[in-house]
Structure formats: C-alpha cells, structure tokens
Amino acid sequence: MTDQLNKTGSSARHEDLAIPSDHTNAEHHGPPLPWIQKYVFSTDHKWIGIQYGVTALIFLLLGFSLMLLMRLQLGWPGHAFALLNILGPGRATGGILLPEGYNQLGAMHGTIMVFLAIVPLAVGAFGNYVVPLQIGAPDMAFPKLNMASYWFYFVGGVIMLTSFAAPGGTPASGWTSYAPLSIIATSGQTFWLTGMVFLITSSLLGSINMIVTIVQLRAKGLTFMRLPFFIWAQLVTGFLLLLAFPPLEAGAVLQLMDRVAHTSFFLPAGLVISGEVLKVAGGGNPLLWQHLFWFLGHPEVYVLILPAMGIVCEVIANNTRRPVWGYNWLVGSVLFLGFMSFVVWAHHMFLTGMGAFVNSFFQTTTMIISIPSVVILTVFFVTLWGGSIRFTTPMLFALTFLPMFGLGGLTGLPLGLATADLYLHDTYYVIGHFHYIVAPGTIFALFAGIYYWFPKITGRKLNEVLGKIHYWGSVIFINGIFFPMFFQGLAGVSRRLYDGGVQYAHAKAVAQATNPFMSISAWCLLVFQLPFIVNIVWNVIAAMRGKKNVGDNPWQATTLDWAATTSPPLAHGNFAVLPVVYRGAYEYSVPDYHEADFLPQHVPWPVTPRSSGGGTMAAPAVAQREE
Amino acid sequence: MSDQAIPSTAADRLPLPETAAEDQHTHGGVHDPNLHHSPEEIKREIRVYLIVFAALAFLTGLTVYACYGLAMPVHYAIIIALVIACTKGFLVAGFFMHLLSEKRLIYSVLALTVFFFSVLMWGPWNHFVDAMGHK
Amino acid sequence: METQAHAHAELEIPYTVQPRSDTGLYNAKLGIWLFLASEVMLFGALFSSYILLRTGAATWPRGWEFLNVPLATVNTFILIGSSVTVVLAWANFRLGNFKWGRIFISLTVLCALLFLMNKGFEYHHEFVEHRMPSSSNFMALYFTLTGLHALHVIGGVIVFLYLLMPGAKMWKTAPARYTNRIEVAGLYWHFVDLVWIFLFPALYLM
C-alpha cells in the first residue's frame, strides 16, 4: 500500500515535476574524478552524508552490542555466559564480567551511542544529505570543510575504539568522565580525551558549515518562514554544537593536563587513593569538571532530539496529507528551546552541594524548558487531526515517537525538581528517562527518516513487510527494556552497578523481578533489527545494480528535496537550474487546487501540464545514476 | 599600483568600483566594506589603523605601568587591567575587525555568544559563592 | 551569483565572493565569525576556570612573582603590531598592490614567529627554575592558557604561509576571492591578538 494513489488518483503526475540534475552538463566538468577523490575524500554532501550514515550505523550496532553484553550480566548476575569471554581476561573471567569490565562497557556504550552514533547520524548523515537538497542548494557552503569534518569524526572514532586494546582497558569513568576518578583512571581515559578533541573538531567544522549553508544558500523565494521544520531544527542544532562544545573542549584539555602533566585543575589537596595521599599540588575542584562537562552535556541532549523532531515533522506532514498546524509555534518553540538549553545544565548537579539560590535558579529554568517541548509535541498531535493518515513504515515510527518522547519528557519533570531529584538522581529512573527520549524517541525518528529518504538516495523503497516487522518488534521490546527502569529507580536501584542492584537489600527484590525480563527484551530487540539490516543491504545491492522501483517523488511530498531527481549524481550539483520557491513547505490538500493533494514548493501557480510545452518547467529528465 | 594584469570576469574582479557612478551603486542596499571603497577611502582607513595602533601601544604601556610599575594592590589591579583590556579589545574588534560597520546578522550571533559567555562566567563561580556550608 | 562562463571541475557555490543581498555577507565571512564565536566560548571556559580556581584558593601569587613581565610586554607590542600589519596587508590587496600585500603578510608571520620565540624563552626560564605545570595551579593555568594560545598562533602562521606561497596562485585567477581569504585569515588573527590582550593582564599583571 506504499504507492497509494492520492485523492484525485493522480499519483504519478507530480513525479514529472522533478528538476533535472546537472548530469547533462557533465562534459563541462572536466575529466572524471579518480576513485579516491570520488569515494574516499569526496567533497559532495550526498556522499559525505552516506559516509556519515554508514559509519554511524556501524557504531550504533556496536554500542547496542555492548549493551547486550552488559544486560547478560544484569539479568543473571553471577551466571556464567561464555559469550562474555570474548571481552578478554581484563574485562571478564569465567564468563562473568568483572566490575572493571562492566564499567568499561558502560562508559563505551554511552560514549559511542551519544558521540559516535546518534549525533553523526542525525546531523552528519541526515543533515548533510538532506539540507542542501531541501533548501535548493548545489552543495553545502564549504564542501572541503565538510570532507574534513567527516574524517575528523572517523579518526576520533578509531581512537575511541583503539582504547579496547589499551593496557588497563577502555575509558571506564562513565561517558561523563567525572573527576577525580577519571584523572586516576587507566590510560584508556586519555584515549577518550584525545578522541573527544577530534570529535569536537569535527562537530565544530560541521556546525559552521550547516549554519552558513542554511543562512546563505537558500533558494530564491525560500524565506525563513517557508523553510521545512527539519531545516529549522538543523539550524538551531548547529548553534547548540557551535557554542556549547567549546567548554567541553576546554575541560578535556584541562583533564588531559591533569592526567598527563600532573596538574591539579580538578584535584583537591589531600586526596587519598587506596590509603595513600595523592602527590599533587592540589587546589583544584572536581566540580569544575562537572560544570564544563554539563555546559555541553545539556545542549547535547537537545542536539540528540531536535533533528529527530525535524524528521518527525516531515514524515507526519507528508503522511497526513495536510499542512502542519501551528508552524509558527514550532519555529518559536525550537528557537526558545535552543536558547534555554544553555541555562539549565546544573540540574545534573543538584546533589553537589549547590546553595538554595543556584538550585532554585536551575530548577526554574528546567521547568520552563519543558514548555516548548510540550508545544512542539502538541503541534504534531494536532496535525494528525483531520488528516488522511497513511500508515507507511516511516509514519509508524514517526507516530510512535510522539508518545515515547512524551513519556521520556514527562519523567524528566521529577528529575528537574531539585527535591525529587535528591531521591531519583543516579538511579535507574534517570536511565529510563533519557533512554525513552533517545531510544524509542530519537532512534525511532531516525528509523523513520531512513525509510522516508531511502528512495531519494537509492531509487528504491525499503520493503514494507520487513519494515513493519522491524517496527512492531522494536516498539514492543524497546518498551520491555526501558519501562521497568522507572520502577527500579523508584525502588532505589542505583545506576552503574555491575550486578544490577542485587547486592543491596533494598534493591534486590525489584532488581530480580525486572532485570531478567529487561535483558530478554534486549536480545529480542536485537532479533527484530535483523529484518531492518537485511532490508537495507538487499535494497542497496539492488539499487547498485540499477534496479530502481520508484520515481523521483514516491511519497508525493512538497519539499525541495523531492524536486531533485532520484539519487542526484555526485559532484555535479543537485539541480540543473536552482529551484525558485513560491510557497511554504507543507501545502498539502490546498483548497483550490484539484490536480493533486499536494502542491510542491518549487511549482509556480497554476501548474501547467508537462510535455505539452509552455509553462515554466524544464522538460523532465531522469538523470542516470553515477556508476 | 597593480603588479600584474587582473583577469576581468565579473566574479573575479577586484571589488573596486571602476567608475564614480558605480561607486554610488548600492548592490541592493547592501553596504559592504569590500565593495564600496575608492583608493582614497582605503588610504583613509590605513590612517585610522595607524592611529588605533598608537592608542593600543599607549594603553599597553599604561596598564603595565599602573599594575606592575606601581605594584597596585590586587583588587585595584584587576579593575584597572580589565577596564583597559576591554578598551583595547573594543579598538581591535571595532576597527581592525571592522565590527563597527558589520552586518546585523554578525551582531546577532555575537550578542548571543556574549550572553552565553556571561552565563559561563557567572555559573561555576556562583555555585561556589552560594554553596552549602560556604557562608 | 557567479557566472558559469568558464568550464571547470569545481561546483559553483553561490556567494563565495559576492555577498548575498539579504545578509550582506559572503559565505566565508559568516563562517569565520561563527568560528570566532566558538573560540570566544573556548577561551571563555578557560577564563571561567581561572576565576573559579583563583577565588577558591587561599592564596594566589602576583604575576611578576614567577613571570617575566617586561618580556611579555614586548611580546604584547609585537602581537598588536602583527594585527596592524595584517590589516595593512588586506588594505593593500584591496588596492591591487600584490607586492605590498605580500610584504605585510610576511611581516605578520615574522612578528608571530618573534612572539613564539619569546614564549619559548619564557617557558625555558620557568623550567630552569623548576616551575612546571604540576607545581601549582597558577603555573598550570599559565602554561595551559598560554600554550593553547600559542597553538592558535602557530595555526595562524600556517594559514598565512599557505596564503603567501601555494595559495598565492589564486591572486592571478580570482583576486577578489584571494582578498577575501586574506580578510578572513586576518579576522582570525585579530582574535588571536584579542585573546592575548586579555590573557596578558590576567596572568602577568593581576
């Protein structure tokens, strides 16, 4: 049912309105690029987007696998699993994770998921591939910088992975690397700091590129209030990355100095480790690290969610065949959200002994920041009203994002209230809260985006049957993992315990009742990712063999990305003639327009039929895909 | 005086107006320091740069003399040094970086940055001033 | 928008030279200011750390107890001088004076190298006196802040050397674009100077 006809039964017609790519002018572009320049050090945003996407998905699978290993132990602490022995004798013996090994997996799971998987996928992959197409630009503003930012990310990732081979193992001080533990930790922590410097550099270059591209390269007629919400989300995300990462970079430099040059930025005098006083100058402050980390850390979580909200908006508008309700509210909310995200960070530090004024200040700003999120969610819900909903696979994931993000957001409220947080901080309640937002939240939105934009990239739709199996298995089992965490947290089960809490009398009963169920859910979740992987690999191979099965605009969408031909060729620009925009981004079911239930942004009014000559469209030409 | 022939494609032309009439042309109402200055105006700019340099040199000497030469007590030294540093910074940013004639978008980005910078200055410090058991 | 009159292998990105009318900016100008905004946050975080550590310390030395103020004062003059030379270079390129533009860029690089050389003398002197980053938070901050600043100076030198040598070819094919690159590099350089304007009193005079 993926190629449902629209109301007037003319689904095919608007696929003719694609603007040809510049392929016909190929001979003006000089000799073909050598393989290494075309596929390794490409400066084309589409290929760089694919590089980011493939790399990030591999890291996503890796981070997921680390969690699966952790959950074996959490579900059945003390029970030997031969699989755990692959981690090596430093991390596991006799099939049981050592505490050091568990800490390593925990720190790497968090670091990989946040910095190597989700953000590169949401911003590097989706941002790079879609943004220039959606604003009608030939590429990003700085193509060489774009290439550099991918390779900095790659090198940062390699450094993080190499830490598995370090003596003493990977970083093991949490993805948050709190001092003083991180200062005295093994050499793996230095890998974390060095890797972060590369990742932050990558992010910085990428965010500059994204902001300049969106501001400067919008097509003629594409005013800010005609932008798809996806672009607004990427613009605000760019500013978050630009201004929030540098303090963490500063912190990483200071922590590197503490570890390598034996300074005491974060070390107080008189620290006793294993009965011995640490011989450092002292005078440092561990909380300084927390401030520097969370100054980034909080905007970072909005970096995780905003592109996802952007994707959800595109998919919902397209699959309800009606304009987004309250577009202006969306824009105002995302700007306000981005701004507020810089002044809430110390809600991660309510238990560090801050005074009443500071606690109250950050509690207030945290409560205020929940408002724009609620507004955005409301806009999406109301947009469903009166829509002709098409339950395609991307739509299923996008719809599910709404209640899942809603639950995650609601559970953030008691955490944002300092008094309640006294009890809930560092318990599984927190883990449940943020995973609901990122896992059935952001990741589901990213899945929606993959299913949605796959036909643009390859010319093939992903198989709907496999897609629905992927969807149903994922939604059931992801809730199975994370929902019980709220009960664990309320019962007082602390996080980062390598046995899942059974060593504590107050936590033992709840932990034993829930952990096995959660671990089984996790492994079942893995099983249901297999249809997704098979779906992608199968269709990519078919596409590489030239077997397209859809046209340029299979979803009958309005935005400029669907005005480009399928899989626009590399290095030749996306549009032979840059589009001109005449209207907003979500003109579905336009009252006086009866040719179709959507009116693309780049089509002047009234639309003249194709091939009868006249009108303002270039004759359509389907570009051949580059080999 | 130009050392070599400059190619004349429109995109690559040096941003000097070729006629007086063109100098009046405003490119859609946009004032760009690059595009609208005659050689005389640029030479006047050069004089401004040299005056600013003199001011910066003077202020540098002043701050060293006041804080170090006079061995000013810490609290006064901090205030004097910061005031002079901000003045010098204003001169560098305003004249060398042409911030005084920059576009609104740049001002907006910088205003946002200055606000977050202030938050960054205030936050960690305030934590300790307001910490439990501190008073 | 740039014309497509000549065949070439590169993609035509609009507004690389001509400014976009509604923003009044060419791409690299906006790009460099965004980069400088992030640098403000980077050095801001370090200054914030300095404030926090100093106000939390029972005692804190005056700068001249351990550091060479006269040498650093000379360095300040050198760096401010290099800011003047770079803006004079840009003015000359705008006037079409390639030769004088190059001379002023070379003077900028020279000043930068002098600055680094003096920094080297300073560091050496500290090490000789057995004052290392690990000796105290004052020394740790001194080495870290000036070290990071020096890395930025080195970065600037690399960019200017590129523009002087291999990058200078662009003057023949696209002088307006080359001049813009000088402007953008100059903005970065002024920022490096600006950081020093605050760093110098913060470490040496307070």
Side-chain angles (χ1 to χ4, degrees), chain C residues 111-175:
Chain C
C111 288
L113 293 174
L114 275 173
F115 179 90
L116 288 170
M117 186 186 77
N118 283 334
K119 265 260 133 318
F121 288 143
E122 275 192 64
Y123 280 12
H124 177 77
H125 178 74
E126 299 303 320
F127 294 150
V128 157
E129 299 285 319
H130 300 295
R131 288 195 284 264
M132 315 289 285
S134 50
S135 309
S136 66
N137 269 349
F138 175 86
M139 291 315 295
L141 276 166
Y142 165 74
F143 279 111
T144 308
L145 262 60
T146 58
L148 201 61
H149 179 260
L151 280 177
H152 281 79
V153 171
I154 293 171
V157 166
I158 294 173
V159 168
F160 284 126
L161 286 176
Y162 170 79
L163 287 171
L164 265 182
M165 294 176 324
K169 287 192 285 254
M170 190 183 271
W171 177 261
K172 294 203 180 84
T173 53

Side-chain angles (χ1 to χ4, degrees), chain B:
Chain B
M1 303 308 284
S2 181
D3 260 353
Q4 39 227 344
I6 296 163
S8 60
T9 55
D12 302 332
R13 190 164 55 83
L14 266 185
L16 287 180
E18 267 157 27
T19 63
E22 199 187 312
D23 197 13
Q24 310 307 317
H25 179 48
T26 54
H27 281 267
V30 164
H31 175 76
D32 186 308
N34 257 0
L35 293 181
H36 295 290
H37 292 159
S38 61
E40 291 70 40
E41 281 192 38
I42 295 180
K43 293 198 173 97
R44 257 180 273 139
E45 267 184 43
I46 291 178
R47 264 194 60 226
V48 170
Y49 300 148
L50 295 172
I51 295 172
V52 169
F53 175 50
L56 289 168
F58 168 72
L59 287 169
T60 303
L62 182 65
T63 195
V64 173
Y65 175 67
C67 299
Y68 169 70
L70 298 179
M72 194 72 67
V74 173
H75 290 106
Y76 294 126
I78 292 175
I79 296 171
I80 293 172
L82 273 180
V83 167
I84 295 181
C86 286
T87 312
K88 288 163 75 179
F90 173 80
L91 289 172
V92 169
F95 292 101
F96 290 168
M97 298 171 91
H98 296 96
L99 250 192
L100 285 177
S101 50
E102 242 328 324
K103 304 294 177 295
R104 230 185 99 214
L105 178 58
I106 303 292
Y107 288 155
S108 311
V109 169
L110 290 177
L112 197 66
T113 309
V114 163
F115 178 77
F116 292 140
F117 175 86
S118 318
V119 169
L120 189 59
M121 288 294 130
W122 168 84
W125 170 79
N126 194 289
H127 174 164
F128 294 94
V129 169
D130 189 44
M132 288 179 181
H134 213 254
K135 299 182 181 103

Side-chain angles (χ1 to χ4, degrees), chain A residues 539-598:
Chain A
N539 280 289
V540 165
I541 292 176
M544 276 163 45
R545 292 195 182 139
K547 297 200 186 106
K548 293 187 184 172
N549 62 21
V550 293
D552 298 325
N553 190 1
W555 304 114
Q556 296 104 40
T558 52
T559 47
L560 293 180
D561 42 338
W562 299 98
T565 55
T566 295
S567 144
L570 301 184
H572 288 153
N574 301 319
F575 306 96
V577 174
L578 295 179
V580 175
V581 168
Y582 298 94
R583 63 188 61 82
Y586 302 114
E587 295 300 306
Y588 290 98
S589 303
V590 177
D592 297 319
Y593 180 63
H594 305 295
E595 308 290 313
D597 70 344
F598 70 108

Side-chain angles (χ1 to χ4, degrees), chain A residues 134 228-230 310-318 452-453 559 586:
Chain A
Q134 243 187 22
F229 182 64
F230 180 76
I311 295 174
V312 166
C313 189
E314 302 307 304
V315 174
I316 284 185
N318 177 254
Y452 183 64
W453 273 298
T559 47
Y586 302 114

Side-chain angles (χ1 to χ4, degrees), chain A residues 426-481:
Chain A
D426 265 353
T427 65
Y428 264 84
Y429 193 92
V430 179
I431 304 189
H433 156 70
F434 68 70
H435 276 97
Y436 256 92
I437 301 189
V438 186
T442 295
I443 296 184
F444 273 25
L446 295 175
F447 285 153
I450 292 174
Y451 284 98
Y452 183 64
W453 273 298
F454 192 86
K456 176 54 60 184
I457 302 173
T458 61
R460 292 180 66 84
K461 270 191 184 169
L462 285 169
N463 180 278
E464 272 292 311
V465 172
L466 288 177
K468 287 185 163 107
I469 296 173
H470 174 215
Y471 167 74
W472 283 108
S474 297
V475 75
I476 290 169
F477 291 111
I478 216 167
N479 278 284
I481 302 173

Side-chain angles (χ1 to χ4, degrees), chain A residues 347 350-351 411 413-431 485-495 505-507 510:
Chain A
H347 65 223
F350 279 143
L351 269 69
T411 53
L413 292 174
L415 295 172
L417 291 167
T419 358
D421 190 55
L422 285 174
Y423 183 79
L424 295 171
H425 178 76
D426 265 353
T427 65
Y428 264 84
Y429 193 92
V430 179
I431 304 189
M485 286 189 181
F486 298 121
F487 299 109
Q488 291 187 331
L490 287 166
V493 181
S494 298
R495 59 188 290 194
H506 70 272
V510 174

Side-chain angles (χ1 to χ4, degrees), chain A residues 190-227:
Chain A
T190 308
F191 282 80
W192 190 92
L193 294 163
T194 317
M196 283 308 292
V197 169
F198 278 88
L199 294 176
I200 296 175
T201 306
S202 160
S203 171
L204 183 71
L205 299 178
S207 58
I208 293 172
N209 220 343
M210 186 63 72
I211 296 171
V212 175
T213 301
I214 293 174
V215 170
Q216 296 277 106
L217 299 188
R218 283 165 295 131
K220 185 156 172 279
L222 189 55
T223 59
F224 276 104
M225 296 311 275
R226 286 177 175 175
L227 284 172

